Amino acid sequence: MAAMTTGNASRADANRRRILEVALAELLRDPDASMDQIARAAGVVRRTVYGHFPSREALISTLVDGAVEAVTTAHAAGREGVADPAEAVARSTLAVWEIADRYRILVALAQRSVTVQGIRDRLAPVRAACAGILARGLEQGVFESPLPPRALAYVHEQMLFALMEAVNEGVLTAREAGPSAAVTLLTTAGVPASRAAELVARLSD
């Protein structure tokens, strides 16, 4: 009986992962994809999808949670062991963009279903880490801004959201968006444009 229960749980977990993977792919292809479309693409019946996610909003919210977790991990990996604040901002931004580009359509979708405040709450650890890097850079004179570190971290976060929207709208290519984002965040923190561009170009090679 225990083996049967374990087997059922494993199948349920596999179905859930499959639904999430397919849902992300379908939503990237068609942001208005319905639960029926997602079920068909995942090779399961509609009831199975609703068994894991009671609504489309709940499904998108779960995808956003996964995206935030991936972004948090990428941001930490990008800044790990980097002493120079400017390089830490550049590396972490480039690392985050590799992840964020895959999930960027979720920003627009999540603003409809998760609420902007919900997204901000989920990103609080990343924002705190950014504020720490910015504070160190301001203290060292690497950065220069009229804004305190926490406020500047909010500005950087919103600029990344804006750049994701620019890619979604086709006014910026996904290929150039990552380096452009890194240069933009550095210049916003007061790094001269030429130095920012040189640093990001070196790190992007």
Side-chain angles (χ1 to χ4, degrees):
M1 183 70 173
M4 184 179 297
T5 301
T6 301
N8 289 341
S10 296
R11 281 194 297 275
D13 288 343
N15 274 342
R16 188 176 189 277
R17 287 194 299 272
R18 168 73 177 161
I19 290 166
L20 286 171
E21 289 171 4
V22 170
L24 179 59
E26 287 297 300
L27 289 168
L28 287 173
R29 184 183 61 80
D30 175 11
D32 295 317
S34 67
M35 294 289 266
D36 283 343
Q37 286 176 256
I38 292 167
R40 285 195 300 272
V44 298
V45 297
R46 188 168 179 262
R47 184 177 61 188
T48 300
V49 176
Y50 278 103
H52 291 285
F53 308 101
S55 66
R56 188 173 183 273
E57 289 72 23
L59 174 58
I60 291 172
S61 182
T62 302
L63 287 171
V64 169
D65 285 340
V68 169
E69 183 179 346
V71 164
T72 302
T73 299
H75 190 273
R79 68 179 189 273
E80 184 178 5
V82 181
D84 176 35
E87 184 171 340
V89 168
R91 285 187 181 277
S92 60
T93 302
L94 291 170
V96 162
W97 193 268
E98 287 187 21
I99 301 299
D101 184 52
R102 180 170 181 243
Y103 291 103
R104 58 187 159 78
I105 195 66
L106 290 178
V107 173
L109 294 174
Q111 287 176 348
R112 301 180 207 166
S113 58
V114 179
T115 76
V116 173
Q117 187 58 48
I119 298 172
R120 286 177 179 164
D121 290 345
R122 286 166 165 83
L123 288 172
V126 176
R127 192 183 313 116
C130 289
I133 296 171
L134 293 168
R136 194 168 78 245
L138 288 166
E139 289 169 4
Q140 295 176 7
V142 176
F143 300 144
E144 184 177 347
S145 173
L147 297 174
R150 289 179 61 192
L152 188 55
Y154 269 103
V155 171
H156 280 190
E157 180 181 296
Q158 292 305 309
M159 290 179 76
L160 285 175
F161 285 153
L163 287 170
M164 289 181 198
E165 285 296 318
V167 176
N168 287 342
E169 294 295 324
V171 297
L172 184 67
T173 67
R175 185 179 60 81
E176 65 183 329
S180 296
V183 172
T184 299
L185 265 57
L186 286 170
T187 54
T188 303
V191 176
S194 58
R195 179 172 177 247
E198 181 183 350
L199 173 59
V200 172
R202 175 167 59 81
L203 296 176
S204 300
D205 286 343

